[in-house]
Amino acid sequence: MSDASLLIVDDEPGFVETMQKRLAKRNMTAHTAQSGDEALRRLREFPEIEVIVLDVKMPGKDGLAVLQEIKQAFPLVEVIMLTGHATVPSALEGIQLGAYDYLMKPCSFDVLTEKINEAAALKRRHEVEAAKADGEKA
Amino acid sequence: MDLQPYNNLSRNLALGVIGISFIPLLLVGGLIFVQFSSIYTEKVYAHLGAVVDKHLETIDAFLAGKQYEVLYLDKAFTYEQLTTPAFLERTLKDIQQQYGRVFVDLGVIDASGRQVAYAGPFDQLGADCSEESWYVNSRDSKIAISDVFLGLHRSPHFIVTVNNSDGLRSWTLKATIDFLAFGNQVENIRIGNTGHAYIVNAQGELQTRPRSVETQALSMVASRTVQRPHTTPGVLIERSLGSDGEDYIVVSAALAGADWKLVFQQESSDALSELATAERIALLVLVAGALAILGMALFMNRKLVTRFRLIDLRTEMMNRQMIEAGKLASIGELAAGIAHEINNPVAIMIEEAGWVGDLLEDEGREMSCREEVERALAQIRTQGVRCKDITHKLLSFARQTDTRVTMVSLPELVAEVVNLSMQPARYARIEFSLNIDPHMPPIKASPTELQQVFLNLINNSIQAMEQDGGTLIISCHASPDEVFITVADTGPGIPEANLSRIFDPFFTTKPVGRGSGLGLSICYGIIHQMGGTIEVESTVGHGTSFNIRLPLQRSDTFQGGNS
């Protein structure tokens, strides 16, 4: 599974650009955003996005607030928190708010892609289940 | 440690205690003694007054008896009878029979002063007495007692005279009283070593013989009169200064029958000798009490000051630990900030290197320097990972790891950590020696943090023994309220100069790149946060031992472990 569509949200342009290029090389379509608001705009713009890699510490809206909004608007989209400043309470909060996982920068690229793929698979499974449920209702 | 403040405190305490104890002691002791001495002196005065009073009565009675006897003769017999020599002789014999030889003689003197009748041992018949002082002095009163004199016979005596008349003529009956018999009455009054009595006439001339020649020559100057209630009227008590420089108690009383005074005198030091003894005993008790207070004050003082010094030392140690803990906390905050700031650029760096690697895979197959570029990329990745390790350690140091507290079984936790370290230990030829009480109670702690402490200590020991191998000893046991953990090695030990800095953040003796200098700081921070202590002992050439003490909180007092 290497065709996942994802969104990388980080206030560091250098980080998002490089990640985008490296992921693209592995057949992953990576959209980028440098703030929480931009991330929500991109999500509406590209509904095919399955997984979001979300920084926690960002100027303006912080990652946990953005996570909350995303989960409200797009409950099926999986979010992986990726931060340079991991604290147990923030990690716990992230997981409680529905994040798929919580990773610490710098993180091995292979680990990250693996997590992305797992999250994408989960999202697809959830979509199928949701569709089934809708069909049964109909 | 500066001992000056303790010496000052010690001195002030000692002075305070001694002052506070001595002043009441002296006041109470002094008051009691003054009271006692005044009561005792009163008693002595009363006693002497009573003695003099009693003897005064006796002497008065003696004199009155003699006077009465003469008066009786005068009344009972006529002039004619008395002037009959045989009758007078018989009468003298009669009274001598009755009273002993107190009456020396009897005589009748006519108005012209001539002795017209005489019975006695001397030849005084016809003697002219008109010039004799006793005769002259007796003219004005019915009955008189003369002063003591030696008279013609060189023997002390005094004369009782009774004047009488029958209308035709007047005459005087005289009786000479042997003074020795009378003097004995007075001289028998003796109290103590120096107390004695004597009789003086109106002019202050001695009428009896005092006991010593010195007393005869002694002159008295009354210094004060002792006023006493209930003193018999006529009894006068005085404190007098003798011409010999001694202080005397002088008790005097006028005799009723004559112009004489009975005087009793005693050296006050003799009369009050028991008071002096009491004074000495009181002084002795006072000195003993003072010495006891002094000893007690010094002893208590020493104990107190030692205790204060210990408390101060402990406080100082606690302050140092607080400063250490504060230092660690602020470094922790700083470290967390730095870690975050560094993690982002390091992440970009690693990703960029990864990207170069990606590109190299596609494009650079024919590049002549491909190998060199790959090596450089690998190096960038390695160093990036190293940066990450450092920042993660920094973050652990800032206690950003899992600090959730649960009940932890130390034997299990140690077994896990030892398992983790088994492999590197085997490479370094290190043997584990575990001495763990399997029944020790669980302790309230964060397992992650405790693991970190053990891992850091074990890794340090393994690194210390890497070259020559050795034994790593871990022991855990518990007392009712504490847990003792020791992690010891048989490595090269730590030089004394480094021992005091070993828990300082960033202090390391390892080669660059091998140690962050945070491991032991983290251990220190964790153990202190748990309310325990960690200490190091080391002997160069023999090894190092880290000793940890943790407070034991029983599970029944433990609540909300997973909060």
Side-chain angles (χ1 to χ4, degrees):
Chain A
M1 237 184 287
S2 53
D3 52 350
S5 172
L6 63 145
L7 173 66
I8 300 165
V9 189
D10 200 306
D11 60 326
E12 295 271 356
F15 184 73
V16 284
E17 279 163 25
T18 314
M19 288 299 280
Q20 190 181 29
K21 284 185 272 185
R22 294 196 74 187
L23 290 165
K25 200 167 179 305
R26 286 160 181 79
N27 296 328
M28 291 188 203
T29 317
H31 302 276
T32 65
Q34 284 176 32
S35 72
D37 291 329
E38 198 187 342
L40 287 162
R41 273 204 305 280
R42 288 273 178 280
L43 266 173
R44 281 184 211 104
E45 212 176 314
F46 306 102
E48 72 272 21
I49 292 172
E50 293 168 307
V51 179
I52 301 172
V53 176
L54 181 60
D55 189 17
V56 175
K57 257 198 158 180
M58 286 185 295
K61 232 174 248 177
D62 91 337
L64 291 171
V66 178
L67 171 66
Q68 236 171 332
E69 286 185 34
I70 291 171
K71 278 289 168 184
Q72 269 171 10
F74 309 93
L76 290 177
V77 171
E78 292 298 341
V79 180
I80 295 167
M81 307 299 289
L82 179 63
T83 179
H85 188 195
T87 64
V88 173
S90 73
L92 269 177
E93 201 184 336
I95 302 291
Q96 277 163 4
L97 289 172
Y100 176 73
D101 208 343
Y102 204 99
L103 295 177
M104 184 129 175
K105 273 190 206 169
C107 143
S108 150
F109 188 73
D110 294 337
V111 171
L112 182 64
T113 49
E114 205 179 304
K115 292 277 176 203
I116 290 169
N117 283 329
E118 283 171 13
L122 184 69
K123 199 244 176 188
R124 283 169 204 163
R125 207 162 59 236
H126 282 164
E127 268 176 348
V128 172
E129 280 165 13
K132 264 189 196 165
D134 283 348
E136 278 167 19
K137 266 186 201 169
Chain B
M1 193 164 200
D2 183 13
L3 289 179
Q4 188 60 37
Y6 296 106
N7 292 340
N8 289 347
L9 177 70
S10 170
R11 197 189 53 225
N12 293 344
L13 267 176
L15 287 178
V17 170
I18 290 168
I20 285 170
S21 317
F22 271 33
I23 291 167
L25 181 76
L26 290 176
L27 275 177
V28 171
L31 263 172
I32 290 174
F33 185 75
V34 165
Q35 198 68 18
F36 171 75
S37 107
S38 109
I39 290 169
Y40 186 82
T41 314
E42 276 294 307
K43 261 195 121 58
V44 167
Y45 289 153
H47 174 63
L48 293 181
V51 166
V52 167
D53 198 35
K54 198 185 98 204
H55 282 84
L56 188 70
E57 276 174 24
T58 315
I59 294 163
D60 269 340
F62 176 83
L63 280 177
K66 301 300 161 284
Q67 281 177 327
Y68 176 77
E69 202 58 45
V70 178
L71 201 60
Y72 168 77
L73 291 176
D74 188 54
K75 282 253 193 266
F77 307 112
T78 60
Y79 178 75
E80 281 73 24
Q81 282 175 306
L82 290 171
T83 48
T84 310
F87 180 80
L88 199 61
E89 203 75 48
R90 205 175 57 245
T91 309
L92 178 66
K93 276 211 176 91
D94 282 349
I95 54 173
Q96 275 179 342
Q97 250 175 8
Q98 196 173 344
Y99 299 109
R101 297 198 60 83
V102 173
F103 284 92
V104 177
D105 62 9
L106 286 173
V108 181
I109 299 158
D110 67 6
S112 63
R114 180 174 299 278
Q115 193 152 259
V116 291
Y118 178 79
F122 308 112
D123 180 22
Q124 284 190 359
L125 190 64
D128 183 8
C129 304
S130 61
E131 299 299 314
E132 298 282 347
S133 61
W134 57 266
Y135 180 71
V136 176
N137 288 339
S138 71
R139 300 313 301 153
D140 301 332
S141 49
K142 171 78 179 155
I143 185 159
I145 294 174
S146 78
D147 285 347
V148 175
F149 61 100
L150 290 174
L152 299 167
H153 329 297
R154 315 311 304 162
S155 152
H157 59 271
F158 64 91
I159 294 168
V160 178
T161 51
V162 178
N163 293 314
N164 204 354
S165 66
D166 58 1
L168 293 171
R169 57 189 167 255
S170 60
W171 70 93
T172 304
L173 177 64
K174 76 151 231 214
T176 303
I177 310 289
D178 180 6
F179 178 72
L180 286 175
F182 176 70
N184 283 342
Q185 297 262 340
V186 178
E187 282 160 28
N188 282 341
I189 310 174
R190 298 210 165 181
I191 297 171
N193 292 324
T194 60
H196 63 275
Y198 51 89
I199 287 173
V200 291
N201 65 8
Q203 287 73 46
E205 290 159 352
L206 286 167
Q207 301 300 304
T208 56
R209 284 167 305 178
R211 67 205 267 172
S212 66
V213 185
E214 285 81 18
T215 316
Q216 290 177 37
L218 205 61
S219 68
M220 290 282 174
V221 180
S223 53
R224 69 190 166 88
T225 304
V226 178
Q227 296 293 341
R228 286 192 56 251
H230 320 303
T231 313
T232 315
V235 175
L236 178 72
I237 302 175
E238 285 173 320
R239 289 295 282 262
S240 302
L241 187 68
S243 53
D244 58 353
E246 287 288 340
D247 184 47
Y248 285 90
I249 297 171
V250 179
V251 186
S252 56
L255 289 164
D259 284 342
W260 292 352
K261 259 198 311 186
L262 174 65
V263 178
F264 173 85
Q265 75 177 43
Q266 190 176 12
E267 279 181 22
S268 56
S269 60
D270 180 28
L272 303 173
S273 67
E274 289 201 12
L275 185 65
T277 310
E279 205 169 46
R280 272 196 297 278
I281 290 171
L283 200 70
L284 212 70
V285 169
L286 201 72
V287 168
L291 281 176
I293 288 172
L294 200 73
M296 203 61 195
L298 291 178
F299 174 71
M300 294 293 290
N301 188 27
R302 182 169 295 203
K303 279 200 91 161
L304 266 176
V305 170
T306 311
R307 191 130 189 101
F308 286 155
R309 267 181 64 188
L310 272 176
I311 290 169
D312 283 356
L313 263 175
R314 218 169 286 160
T315 315
E316 200 180 314
M317 269 174 64
M318 275 175 70
N319 281 345
R320 263 192 225 150
Q321 285 175 353
M322 292 271 286
I323 291 168
E324 202 67 25
K327 204 158 78 182
L328 285 176
S330 49
I331 288 170
E333 276 171 38
L334 190 72
I338 290 172
H340 179 243
E341 291 310 318
I342 288 176
N343 277 348
N344 276 318
V346 168
I348 297 171
M349 231 167 64
I350 290 176
E351 292 314 326
E352 291 290 359
W355 177 232
V356 173
D358 290 350
L359 292 178
L360 208 60
E361 265 176 31
D362 300 341
E363 316 273 338
R365 293 196 190 284
E366 281 81 40
M367 267 174 76
S368 58
C369 53
R370 182 189 163 89
E371 263 180 42
E372 193 52 29
V373 173
E374 275 178 345
R375 191 203 57 79
L377 285 175
Q379 182 69 280
I380 291 172
R381 261 186 234 113
T382 311
Q383 297 309 318
V385 168
R386 189 173 145 200
C387 284
K388 181 183 122 175
D389 285 346
I390 293 172
T391 55
H392 282 201
K393 271 194 183 149
L394 273 172
L395 284 171
S396 320
F397 173 65
R399 292 186 282 283
Q400 303 289 358
T401 51
D402 190 355
T403 55
R404 278 173 296 175
V405 170
T406 56
M407 293 312 288
V408 180
S409 156
L410 268 181
E412 283 175 27
L413 187 129
V414 172
E416 279 170 26
V417 178
V418 167
N419 266 339
L420 278 176
S421 314
M422 236 15 152
Q423 202 58 31
R426 201 172 294 141
Y427 290 142
R429 289 166 290 119
I430 293 163
E431 280 178 20
F432 276 96
S433 159
L434 303 182
N435 175 20
I436 293 161
D437 175 7
H439 305 297
M440 58 190 298
I443 62 166
K444 185 185 161 190
S446 152
T448 326
E449 285 185 338
L450 267 188
Q451 270 171 356
Q452 201 170 1
V453 169
F454 277 105
L455 265 179
N456 279 336
L457 294 179
I458 291 172
N459 281 342
N460 274 353
S461 292
I462 291 177
Q463 281 176 11
M465 297 187 286
E466 230 166 21
Q467 290 217 316
D468 305 315
T471 312
L472 208 164
I473 306 130
I474 302 175
S475 68
C476 299
H477 63 274
S479 78
D481 33 50
E482 269 185 322
V483 170
F484 303 91
I485 301 163
T486 305
V487 177
D489 63 52
T490 55
I494 303 162
E496 210 178 319
N498 291 343
L499 269 182
S500 59
R501 300 176 57 202
I502 200 150
F503 295 113
D504 285 354
F506 304 113
F507 176 77
T508 181
T509 54
K510 293 172 192 166
V512 176
R514 290 232 32 204
S516 62
L518 285 171
L520 286 176
S521 282
I522 291 168
C523 294
Y524 185 91
I526 290 172
I527 296 296
H528 270 259
Q529 205 173 23
M530 291 170 72
T533 58
I534 176 165
E535 279 161 13
V536 61
E537 279 173 53
S538 188
T539 316
V540 173
H542 286 90
T544 306
S545 156
F546 285 91
N547 305 314
I548 298 171
R549 291 153 77 104
L550 287 173
L552 193 59
Q553 276 165 297
R554 299 200 168 279
S555 48
D556 49 8
T557 61
F558 175 68
Q559 289 167 345
N562 283 316
S563 61

